[in-house]
Amino acid sequence: MMYKVYYQENKYEVPVREKTKTIFLDAESEREARQLLKDRQINIEYVQLVKGPYLEYEKQQEYFKLTETR
């Protein structure tokens, strides 16, 4: 399954919408997606399952890039 992860680059700062970034991961569950990112120094705000028409829409965007974590 594909997950879109919203995060802040600095895990010690309060989240600010204008600084929120996203990455896309292939994982079996939200829990696995979080586990795959646990070694990174980021502040995860939200992990969202992306599927169906929404996934197809995201794939067409210029910012879409699948992040390798394994």
Side-chain angles (χ1 to χ4, degrees):
M1 291 185 276
M2 185 73 60
Y3 287 90
K4 184 175 184 179
V5 180
Y6 297 83
Y7 71 96
Q8 302 285 317
E9 288 186 328
N10 187 337
K11 73 185 284 183
Y12 300 108
E13 288 185 8
V14 176
V16 177
R17 182 184 319 185
E18 291 79 15
K19 294 182 179 179
T20 299
K21 300 191 186 272
T22 59
I23 56 175
F24 293 87
L25 299 174
D26 187 27
E28 293 297 317
S29 65
E30 178 183 340
R31 183 179 187 145
E32 181 184 359
R34 289 179 179 274
Q35 285 292 102
L36 291 170
L37 297 172
K38 73 178 181 179
D39 294 333
R40 296 186 185 199
Q41 296 297 314
I42 61 174
N43 181 5
I44 298 173
E45 292 181 39
Y46 184 64
V47 179
Q48 177 182 20
L49 177 62
V50 182
K51 62 182 181 179
Y54 183 45
L55 176 58
E56 294 309 313
Y57 169 79
E58 290 288 8
K59 284 182 177 180
Q60 294 174 7
Q61 304 308 307
E62 63 184 42
Y63 56 79
F64 182 85
K65 182 179 179 215
L66 186 60
T67 301
E68 293 294 325
T69 56
R70 299 169 197 220

